[in-house]
Amino acid sequence: MGVDGYSHYSLDDCVYMARYIGKKDGLIIGCLVLSILMLSRFMRFTLLNYKKAFRGCDAWGCGSFGSSRGSHSHRGLDFAVEPNENIYAPFPCKVVRHGYPYAGDYEYRLIEIQGTGGYSDYKAKIMYVKDFPAVGSVFNEKEVLCKADDITKKYSSSMTNHVHFELYAKGSLINPEIFF
């Protein structure tokens, strides 16, 4: 990390990644990763809960990207929230889908948003929400998108209530922590 708190990368880093992988595809992958990392230096998202409160660790696990979930890793970043708290659009977006985070459990919901304008390469899933807008609704950054649900009803009060945020860039899952 640089002294200003941001990661700094160069074209030399991209070439190094390509040599390390040792293939033509390595150059493409390396440049894509580098582009995302460089963009993250300038692209900042609005916090879903405005208070920069991320779910730490509790009896059920940790809320950071990549945390262990037994046989797999946590695919997103959890924002600590109170039930019924406003959830804000992290970037200009359009609601593209409603869904359910758990197969066969229709109690909890998710919305999927697609970035618009300069954020069109980003898509996100926000889970454990309610009172969400219709598919096709458009939002500016920082506008109220929906409300937080109460996930502790499913797990117990020993879990920090939260909303789960997964981020995709050009269809690939990425760590959202660098954008907040």
Side-chain angles (χ1 to χ4, degrees):
M1 246 200 223
V3 292
D4 60 359
Y6 296 110
S7 298
H8 298 280
Y9 301 95
S10 69
L11 183 58
D12 291 336
D13 296 320
C14 186
V15 171
Y16 175 78
M17 282 187 240
R19 285 188 189 136
Y20 179 76
I21 295 172
K23 298 179 182 175
K24 178 181 166 189
D25 292 339
L27 181 61
I28 294 167
I29 292 168
C31 288
L32 178 62
V33 169
L34 178 64
S35 298
I36 290 169
L37 291 172
M38 289 176 70
L39 266 179
S40 71
R41 178 176 177 198
F42 303 107
M43 303 282 290
R44 291 285 172 226
F45 296 168
T46 294
L47 296 165
L48 274 64
N49 58 3
Y50 270 156
K51 57 187 174 187
K52 198 168 178 136
F54 299 111
R55 175 181 166 224
C57 298
D58 56 34
W60 293 90
C62 300
S64 58
F65 182 84
S67 295
S68 176
R69 291 290 185 271
S71 63
H72 64 281
S73 297
H74 191 232
R75 296 175 51 88
L77 176 62
D78 293 342
F79 287 81
V81 293
E82 296 297 322
N84 299 310
E85 187 174 328
N86 286 337
I87 303 302
Y88 299 92
F91 45 76
C93 63
K94 179 178 182 177
V95 176
V96 294
R97 184 175 78 90
H98 298 155
Y100 301 94
Y102 303 110
D105 183 346
Y106 303 109
E107 172 99 18
Y108 296 97
R109 303 294 306 268
L110 69 81
I111 61 171
E112 191 170 311
I113 57 174
Q114 175 69 53
T116 59
Y119 294 84
S120 62
D121 288 340
Y122 298 99
K123 187 179 273 191
K125 292 179 185 177
I126 305 172
M127 300 177 191
Y128 319 132
V129 294
K130 61 184 183 176
D131 300 339
F132 43 80
V135 170
S137 299
V138 176
F139 289 84
N140 292 314
E141 182 177 10
K142 301 180 183 178
E143 282 189 296
V144 174
L145 188 60
C146 53
K147 301 266 187 198
D149 206 340
D150 185 358
I151 193 67
T152 65
K153 292 185 297 185
K154 182 173 183 71
Y155 290 98
S156 82
S157 61
S158 63
M159 175 179 274
T160 304
N161 201 67
H162 65 278
V163 293
H164 173 89
F165 180 79
E166 285 182 17
L167 183 64
Y168 299 82
K170 295 187 177 187
S172 296
L173 179 70
I174 61 171
N175 182 351
E177 293 175 7
I178 60 177
F179 292 93
F180 294 102

